[in-house]
Amino acid sequence: MSEERSLNFIEEIIEKDLANGTHNGRVHTRFPPEPNGYLHIGHAKSICLNFGLAKKYNGKCNLRFDDTNPVTEDTEYVDSIMNDVRWLGFEWDELHYTSDYFTQLHDFAVDLIRKGLAYVDDSSAEEIAAMKGNIDRPGTNSPYRDRSVDENLELFAAMRAGKYADGEKVLRAKIDMGHPNLLLRDPIIYRIKHAHHHRTGDTWCIYPMYDFAHGQSDSIEEITHSICTLEFIHHRPLYDWCIEKLGIFPSRQYEFARLNLNYTVMSKRKLLQLVNEKHVSGWDDPRMPTISGMRRRGYTPEAIRKFAETIGVAKRENLIDIGLLEFCVREHLNKVALRRMAVLDPIKLIITNYPEGQTETLNAENNPEDENGGHREISFSNTLWIEREDFMENPPPKYFRLGKGLKVRLKHAYIVECEDYKTDENGNVTEVYCKYFPESKSGSDTSGIKVKGTMHWLDVATAKEAEIRLYDRLFKVENPAAEEGDFKDYINADSLTVIPKAYIEPALAEATEADRFQFLRIGYFALDKDSTSDKVVFNKTVGLKDSWAKEQKKG
RNA sequence: AGUUCAAUGGUGUAAUGGUAGCACAACAGUUUUUGGUUCUGUUUGUCUUGGUUCGAAUCCAGGUUGAACUACCA
């Protein structure tokens, strides 16, 4: 059904498993976010991968909240994550929370103690860190490492019963303090936290660590292919160790390279800082690389899914050009966005030979890319708004817009020729005077006049006002996280431009947040949630390709 | 420094021992009542040194470069 396309390395693994009859041909993945922040475009890559694989191989994909740290997690994030996954176009087969497994996880820990593979350590965090050794020096055994099984059982039960304060004791796996992989030097698997959990409340005061929760949760759900990002590659031996020692369902972990986009940051910690320190208006600020930010800005799920497919999946570190994401957004919006006219920086155009007070209604197509897109009516008169940059007093060659003696077509209307203009005391152009050619009406042009340029415009009498917000990249450098010093030093101070009073077609006043528009010759726009009945606000999603701007840059 | 992973045009990603392809970007045209869109064409690449082989981007060895790992975070 789909065109020939090569497999990524994970698909190859799956197809090999399928061919070998591993798990009886069953494919089951999961997307396991921690509910401690909003999802971003990097998560979108992972979501598309995990849910996409399940769909492709007729399998299942779970959504599982990895909520083992009560102090950072919250239901606000749970709700936003579910909303974002659905908005992207995916539905989970099973919904789980790691916290639902707390009892089983606790029993796994007891099992490990019984097998002599875990012990309670009374050392402080500092002492444990000191005994850990480092990259080129082996660690040393804890003095508590050889406690008896019975003593460990008793102590762990006391930990669970709340007999100790936070940090007083931990449960550690007994592996090898000399192991070159630091994660295998007797990792902590349970810690004491007298904290309220967003789902289990005060039932527990001990919580499992990631490494003692994630793999077992995969195993409990009989996940066949547990896909995560490269930084977890060192955790895999521990993931496998737990499964092997516990003798539970053998889920397998595979790692791929996370998405990096230039001119932005992608870590939840950094995004949280931008929000908390008010560098942006919130998690859904249209400049944020979050799903909610992109949604608010006007990106579509189709565009994001296409992007995820285009960038591929591999193990090589990457830094993807934001231009590719924008290309995917334009590509989709070009097909679906309704064409409308808007003037962002207005000056008046007065048609001197068009009768004062006369109005006519013109018919304009909604989308030239869509035959069934229909038409709308727009009004025309002798006084119009046009874009300031569409007129020049001294136009250079190849300028296909207005200037004294130059002719252009007004989109869907007539051809006009500029005869004069007026400036204010500062020399700024305020009005442009043109004559129009009555026989050049769009659709019934018998004038025989050929023009190079077509401009957008608005009838002053019927145009409505709107606030328009323009966005630029949030950072001035390609990779702020890799730069010297604080990443926030590289924030682009001009990333937001607000145009308080622009003009739009009357029909646009009725827009909803679900609509997508192309403002002719400017770019794609979507209604912002800040809109009220008196004031509509539009966000610029992304600009149109502008080959004139490029031409000018060449000088 | 130890361990692990990776290295293909400017950016991504294919080629699974047999013609280095695709997308974006760039450039030149084409089309166009959006300087949008469409269509066509062009430029640019296998980290390095050896080895195996009739044949290596692919396999092997050494080197180089980059990344990750030393939270009671995930």
Side-chain angles (χ1 to χ4, degrees):
Chain A
M1 59 181 247
S2 58
E3 79 267 32
E4 198 65 30
R5 202 166 172 282
S6 51
L7 304 178
N8 64 49
F9 80 101
I10 293 174
E11 291 170 327
E12 280 179 12
I13 289 166
I14 290 177
E15 297 207 353
K16 206 166 287 174
D17 286 342
L18 255 20
N20 294 337
T22 311
H23 305 306
N24 303 312
R26 195 169 57 81
V27 173
H28 201 155
T29 57
R30 101 269 92 113
F31 174 62
E34 182 189 10
N36 69 344
Y38 281 65
L39 261 24
H40 54 60
I41 182 74
H43 294 110
K45 175 180 180 179
S46 176
I47 291 167
C48 291
L49 212 210
N50 279 294
F51 284 92
L53 251 14
K55 188 172 290 181
K56 176 168 182 176
Y57 293 105
N58 242 306
K60 289 182 175 176
C61 181
N62 296 352
L63 174 62
R64 180 172 72 234
F65 289 100
D66 214 342
D67 54 353
T68 59
N69 185 357
V71 304
T72 58
E73 296 153 7
D74 197 273
T75 49
E76 173 199 350
Y77 299 120
V78 169
D79 296 340
S80 78
I81 288 168
M82 293 199 284
N83 186 36
D84 286 349
V85 172
R86 287 201 168 112
W87 179 77
L88 273 176
F90 299 103
E91 187 62 47
W92 43 91
D93 289 281
E94 300 165 21
L95 175 65
H96 294 293
Y97 295 80
T98 302
S99 53
D100 288 343
Y101 308 137
F102 280 171
T103 302
Q104 275 174 91
L105 262 9
H106 165 271
D107 295 346
F108 284 150
V110 170
D111 185 32
L112 235 40
I113 294 173
R114 288 217 170 91
K115 287 171 174 161
L117 293 170
Y119 62 96
V120 173
D121 196 330
D122 301 359
S123 310
S124 68
E126 296 70 35
E127 289 166 332
I128 289 175
M131 287 186 286
K132 185 158 198 166
N134 59 34
I135 276 168
D136 41 22
R137 204 192 322 279
T140 50
N141 287 351
S142 163
Y144 305 97
R145 197 173 197 262
D146 294 316
R147 292 218 248 229
S148 70
V149 168
D150 286 341
E151 189 185 2
N152 281 318
L153 249 15
E154 200 173 302
L155 257 15
F156 187 55
M159 279 170 64
R160 182 193 179 178
K163 298 253 170 64
Y164 305 111
D166 289 7
E168 213 175 319
K169 286 183 167 41
V170 290
L171 183 69
R172 294 228 257 169
K174 191 192 276 192
I175 305 180
D176 177 3
M177 289 306 291
H179 200 104
N181 181 340
L182 291 298
L183 289 164
L184 261 28
R185 318 241 264 229
D186 290 10
I188 292 167
I189 57 179
Y190 258 94
R191 78 284 216 193
I192 300 169
K193 272 182 194 284
H194 291 272
H196 188 84
H197 187 279
H198 71 110
R199 297 195 83 240
T200 61
D202 300 312
T203 309
W204 297 88
C205 64
I206 56 171
Y207 293 92
M209 296 288 288
Y210 167 85
D211 285 304
F212 199 69
H214 198 95
Q216 285 93 316
S217 299
D218 285 340
S219 182
I220 289 166
E221 294 171 22
E222 302 203 334
I223 298 302
T224 56
H225 303 267
S226 176
I227 300 162
C228 62
T229 48
L230 243 32
E231 63 268 30
F232 290 97
I233 199 162
H234 301 99
H235 294 250
R236 181 157 27 105
L238 186 49
Y239 182 105
D240 291 338
W241 184 90
C242 290
I243 283 175
E244 187 208 320
K245 299 303 180 193
L246 260 11
I248 55 181
F249 180 85
S251 294
R252 288 282 170 268
Q253 173 182 302
Y254 304 95
E255 310 86 12
F256 70 97
R258 70 187 313 155
L259 166 66
N260 296 295
L261 266 188
N262 59 9
Y263 298 104
T264 190
V265 292
M266 207 72 92
S267 89
K268 276 199 265 186
R269 204 194 93 251
K270 293 193 176 74
L271 294 175
L272 181 63
Q273 264 186 76
L274 292 176
V275 172
N276 286 344
E277 297 171 22
K278 310 275 189 217
H279 294 105
V280 294
S281 65
W283 284 101
D284 67 347
D285 186 298
R287 293 165 292 180
M288 290 281 272
T290 50
I291 311 272
S292 50
M294 292 180 170
R295 175 169 59 234
R296 185 171 172 188
R297 179 143 169 183
Y299 285 23
T300 60
E302 290 88 340
I304 293 173
R305 281 189 251 123
K306 177 70 190 297
F307 173 70
E309 186 189 315
T310 305
I311 58 175
V313 177
K315 299 183 80 159
R316 186 187 332 165
E317 301 281 344
N318 58 76
L319 181 60
I320 295 189
D321 194 333
I322 187 80
L324 182 60
L325 212 207
E326 294 179 340
F327 166 81
C328 295
V329 172
R330 283 192 197 99
E331 188 185 42
H332 181 233
L333 256 17
N334 177 49
K335 294 195 198 99
V336 300
L338 297 174
R339 270 54 172 181
R340 294 291 183 263
M341 294 200 280
V343 177
L344 272 38
D345 187 8
I347 56 172
K348 268 184 185 163
L349 181 149
I350 293 167
I351 303 174
T352 52
N353 61 339
Y354 192 91
E356 175 91 40
Q358 181 175 315
T359 309
E360 66 185 290
T361 301
L362 304 170
N363 203 240
E365 61 192 347
N366 282 325
N367 186 349
E369 303 295 315
D370 180 2
E371 283 179 20
N372 305 314
H375 291 74
R376 69 191 188 282
E377 294 186 332
I378 51 179
S379 72
F380 183 82
S381 73
N382 77 325
T383 310
L384 310 175
W385 291 122
I386 61 166
E387 212 69 66
R388 181 175 298 281
E389 64 172 27
D390 284 340
F391 174 86
M392 283 184 88
E393 293 181 79
N394 300 297
K398 292 206 273 183
Y399 183 76
F400 306 142
R401 307 178 188 186
L402 285 176
K404 216 165 169 175
L406 296 181
K407 294 193 203 55
V408 297
R409 171 170 295 281
L410 296 175
K411 181 75 177 175
H412 305 305
Y414 300 91
I415 291 174
V416 294
E417 177 172 359
C418 177
E419 296 182 312
D420 204 359
Y421 63 95
K422 192 166 96 182
T423 57
D424 64 14
E425 63 276 14
N426 300 318
N428 296 316
V429 174
T430 54
E431 294 184 350
V432 173
Y433 303 104
C434 293
K435 69 174 178 194
Y436 88 115
F437 298 90
E439 333 73 65
S440 67
K441 184 168 176 174
S442 197
S444 54
D445 185 350
T446 56
S447 71
I449 303 169
K450 291 274 175 275
V451 292
K452 279 279 188 44
T454 300
M455 289 174 22
H456 61 279
W457 54 274
L458 247 22
D459 182 3
V460 169
T462 59
K464 297 265 198 276
E465 291 181 11
E467 175 177 315
I468 293 190
R469 299 176 183 169
L470 309 176
Y471 304 101
D472 196 358
R473 44 184 62 137
L474 236 194
F475 290 91
K476 293 180 288 192
V477 296
E478 275 212 62
N479 192 357
E483 215 67 39
E484 289 287 311
D486 190 352
F487 77 99
K488 294 195 290 318
D489 296 343
Y490 301 92
I491 290 177
N492 175 12
D494 303 317
S495 59
L496 170 65
T497 304
V498 177
I499 299 175
K501 201 173 103 175
Y503 292 104
I504 56 172
E505 275 186 41
L508 249 11
E510 280 5 81
T512 72
E513 283 176 44
D515 295 325
R516 294 291 180 275
F517 301 101
Q518 182 194 109
F519 291 177
L520 244 45
R521 301 209 303 139
I522 303 175
Y524 296 98
F525 290 79
L527 191 76
D528 189 79
K529 67 173 188 182
D530 287 348
S531 298
T532 63
S533 51
D534 332 307
K535 187 181 79 170
V536 289
V537 179
F538 281 96
N539 291 316
K540 182 174 180 179
T541 307
V542 62
L544 254 25
K545 246 172 58 179
D546 190 347
S547 46
W548 169 242
K550 200 184 286 181
E551 181 74 27
Q552 283 175 304
K553 252 183 231 164
K554 283 189 251 172

